[in-house]
Amino acid sequence: MLSLTEENYLKAIYHLSDGGTKSVLTNEIAESIQTRPASVTDMVKKLAVKNLITYEKYYGVKVTKHGKSEALTIIRKHRLWETFLVEKLGFDWGQVHDVAEQLEHIQSPLLIEKLDEFLGYPAADPHGHPIPDKHGKFHVSRQIPLAEATKKKTVARAVKNSSQSFLDYLSKIGIYIGATVQILERMEFDGSIEIMIDGKKKVYISKEASENILVTE
Amino acid sequence: MLSLTEENYLKAIYHLSDGGTKSVLTNEIAESIQTRPASVTDMVKKLAVKNLITYEKYYGVKVTKHGKSEALTIIRKHRLWETFLVEKLGFDWGQVHDVAEQLEHIQSPLLIEKLDEFLGYPAADPHGHPIPDKHGKFHVSRQIPLAEATKKKTVARAVKNSSQSFLDYLSKIGIYIGATVQILERMEFDGSIEIMIDGKKKVYISKEASENILVTE
DNA sequence: TATAAAGTTTAGGTTAACCTAAAAAAATAT
DNA sequence: ATATTTTTTTAGGTTAACCTAAACTTTATA
Ligand SMILES: [Mn+2]
Ligand SMILES: [Mn+2]
Ligand SMILES: [Mn+2]
Ligand SMILES: [Mn+2]
């Protein structure tokens, strides 16, 4: 069984590795988890002993099969709780992340199965992120950042950034998961774009914002 | 803000003090929390510095006003979560305690208010224990152990012991919160009693069991 | 290729929450 | 009242998870 801290490290490493595909460096982990590189080195050795990652001194870590499965369990819990908070308790999609950050560490396989059932086995969380099933399986449709879309008409499917401030901003301008987004014009000089939301509302959004909205064409 | 450990100590002390009325000794705390007396002495000093209890060397601790209010918040959370698990997720009343023991430490005032609302502001948890409101207020009707009841006909209102094994036993013989319990006969030699549940089922229960069922006459 | 810069690890400390063993105080028994 | 037992505290360690500063390794630059 993993400690809360070990779980947070493992989840961070998994996310940074793009689902276990690439290896992750000490400084990236330190940055993402808000600790010092020296602390990361300590923890990374512990996780390697537990067979959750492989660690090659100076060259970073890779997530093992076992580590991937543990990470996906934590992510599953995180996203199920976020879904619960929004769907059942009426939280705003920008309010759920920090609470889910705590709830994801509750240890009870029964709880998570019952919660999943209660929510009707959702496929995605309020941010459009896929929820792994109890075996760690999930499906993602081909999503691209709005910034890279070539077709004029797209549908918002997920956000890349789940921060309160970004989600509050999206809500304010009227973007939500499932909204249709038409690209009206790209500004040459700063990459900002003019879009039409649900065929009704025209707004300008920055390049930065458009990179954090994932769409299907 | 309190650590998880501090919260567990404070809650244990509050329970042992009968709602803040009497003072609590080091060994009682150690016993209840499954630690060594020396560890209790350490923690008790910390809690005293934080003004949650008063500590008189060799004579035990008392819960302060502030400590009582913090303890009641934790108890409120514990009981709301237990109610959620039974009412919404379909847990058995014997399965909830350990999970609630973890959930009670989640830090989010918003979460707990929304959960309370979602549950319809319940007055008691699945074990019949009162749920304090957000100001720490709650009401208990005059409940006595079935072992001490003098009237023939009583109604089960709460359990004194929330262990899985005791609750499984109660379910098995057909006792639940709200069940009517008629006392048919008391056995002189071991204090066991014969009862009729809901006017239908006759069973014998031990003195021990009858001391852990709280009823109103 | 030698040197500088960047990234990482090691060495050595801190704090919270535990522990055992010894010392001290309080309660009980003679 | 004194001696014994019980309870509690103190002293001194351990472990997990952090930290800073110094020592390394790797990578980039001259
Ligand atoms: Mn977390
Ligand atoms: Mn999410
Ligand atoms: Mn607890
Ligand atoms: Mn309860």
Side-chain angles (χ1 to χ4, degrees):
Chain A
M1 249 217 33
L2 303 182
S3 71
L4 184 146
T5 309
E6 289 170 331
E7 290 195 341
N8 282 336
Y9 270 90
L10 182 59
K11 189 171 63 123
I13 293 167
Y14 176 83
H15 281 313
L16 290 167
S17 75
D18 287 346
T21 52
K22 58 180 213 195
S23 78
V24 182
L25 303 175
T26 300
N27 275 4
E28 300 180 68
I29 301 169
E31 157 82 37
S32 127
I33 233 165
Q34 296 279 79
T35 47
R36 295 301 177 164
S39 307
V40 172
T41 301
D42 282 355
M43 179 54 82
V44 134
K45 287 176 183 167
K46 270 185 59 185
L47 296 178
V49 168
K50 295 196 177 188
N51 232 317
L52 297 156
I53 59 178
T54 56
Y55 168 49
E56 232 194 308
K57 237 176 154 186
Y58 294 103
Y59 295 92
V61 301
K62 282 205 179 74
V63 183
T64 64
K65 199 159 198 161
H66 176 219
K68 190 169 164 175
S69 144
E70 290 290 323
L72 284 170
T73 298
I74 304 161
I75 291 165
R76 168 169 162 77
K77 293 197 277 179
H78 184 104
R79 293 179 180 169
L80 282 172
W81 280 117
E82 284 188 343
T83 305
F84 167 72
L85 295 174
V86 168
E87 296 297 317
K88 301 293 182 178
L89 297 195
F91 275 62
D92 211 87
W93 68 339
Q95 297 176 308
V96 298
H97 192 77
D98 292 350
V99 183
E101 212 45 56
Q102 299 177 60
L103 286 163
E104 71 189 0
H105 303 289
I106 302 293
Q107 302 291 354
S108 170
L110 178 63
L111 171 59
I112 215 62
E113 292 323 307
K114 295 245 189 208
L115 184 63
D116 197 13
E117 182 189 358
F118 182 59
L119 298 172
Y121 305 102
D125 81 3
H127 312 110
H129 300 145
I131 301 177
D133 70 16
K134 79 177 90 177
H135 307 294
K137 301 275 173 252
F138 61 93
H139 173 75
V140 216
S141 55
R142 261 280 136 270
Q143 296 171 354
I144 56 168
L146 178 57
E148 292 163 22
T150 53
K151 299 257 182 11
K152 284 275 164 286
K153 205 171 172 183
T154 68
V155 177
R157 297 296 182 193
V159 292
K160 223 172 175 171
N161 176 315
S162 297
S163 70
Q164 172 102 252
S165 55
F166 181 55
L167 298 174
D168 284 354
Y169 164 71
L170 290 185
S171 295
K172 180 154 188 183
I173 66 173
I175 289 184
Y176 57 94
I177 303 302
T180 64
V181 176
Q182 289 168 66
I183 301 164
L184 304 178
E185 200 185 345
R186 293 194 133 83
M187 308 308 147
E188 183 70 46
F189 92 104
D190 68 351
S192 66
I193 57 180
E194 187 184 19
I195 60 176
M196 169 108 81
I197 300 162
D198 284 337
K200 291 196 292 260
K201 194 180 173 196
K202 282 188 196 174
V203 281
Y204 290 95
I205 66 171
S206 69
K207 183 163 195 284
E208 165 99 25
S210 71
E211 282 165 341
N212 283 291
I213 300 165
L214 300 176
V215 301
T216 50
E217 290 183 320
Chain B
M1 251 215 31
L2 303 181
S3 72
L4 186 147
T5 309
E6 289 170 331
E7 289 195 342
N8 281 336
Y9 269 89
L10 182 59
K11 187 170 66 123
I13 293 168
Y14 176 83
H15 281 312
L16 291 168
S17 74
D18 287 345
T21 53
K22 60 181 213 195
S23 77
V24 183
L25 302 175
T26 299
N27 275 4
E28 302 180 67
I29 301 169
E31 158 81 37
S32 127
I33 233 164
Q34 297 279 81
T35 47
R36 295 300 179 166
S39 307
V40 173
T41 301
D42 282 355
M43 180 54 83
V44 136
K45 287 176 183 168
K46 269 183 60 185
L47 295 178
V49 168
K50 294 195 178 190
N51 233 315
L52 296 156
I53 59 178
T54 56
Y55 168 49
E56 231 193 310
K57 240 175 150 186
Y58 293 104
Y59 294 94
V61 302
K62 283 206 176 78
V63 183
T64 62
K65 197 159 200 163
H66 176 216
K68 190 169 165 176
S69 144
E70 290 290 322
L72 284 170
T73 298
I74 304 162
I75 291 165
R76 167 172 163 76
K77 292 197 277 179
H78 184 104
R79 293 179 180 168
L80 282 173
W81 279 116
E82 283 188 344
T83 305
F84 167 72
L85 295 174
V86 168
E87 296 296 318
K88 301 294 182 178
L89 297 196
F91 274 64
D92 211 86
W93 68 339
Q95 296 175 310
V96 299
H97 192 78
D98 292 350
V99 184
E101 213 44 56
Q102 299 177 61
L103 285 164
E104 71 189 359
H105 302 289
I106 301 293
Q107 302 292 352
S108 169
L110 178 63
L111 171 60
I112 215 62
E113 292 324 307
K114 296 244 189 207
L115 184 63
D116 197 14
E117 180 188 359
F118 182 59
L119 297 171
Y121 305 101
D125 80 4
H127 312 111
H129 300 145
I131 301 177
D133 70 15
K134 78 177 93 177
H135 307 295
K137 302 275 172 251
F138 60 93
H139 174 76
V140 217
S141 56
R142 259 281 137 271
Q143 296 172 354
I144 55 170
L146 179 57
E148 291 164 24
T150 53
K151 301 259 180 12
K152 286 272 164 288
K153 204 172 172 184
T154 67
V155 177
R157 297 297 183 192
V159 292
K160 223 172 175 171
N161 178 315
S162 298
S163 71
Q164 172 103 250
S165 57
F166 181 55
L167 297 174
D168 284 354
Y169 165 71
L170 291 185
S171 295
K172 180 154 187 182
I173 66 174
I175 289 184
Y176 56 94
I177 302 302
T180 65
V181 177
Q182 289 167 67
I183 301 164
L184 303 177
E185 200 184 346
R186 295 197 129 79
M187 310 307 147
E188 185 69 46
F189 92 105
D190 68 351
S192 67
I193 57 181
E194 188 185 19
I195 59 176
M196 168 106 82
I197 301 163
D198 284 336
K200 292 196 292 259
K201 194 180 174 195
K202 282 189 196 173
V203 281
Y204 291 95
I205 65 171
S206 68
K207 182 164 197 282
E208 166 100 23
S210 71
E211 283 166 342
N212 282 291
I213 300 166
L214 299 176
V215 302
T216 50
E217 290 184 321

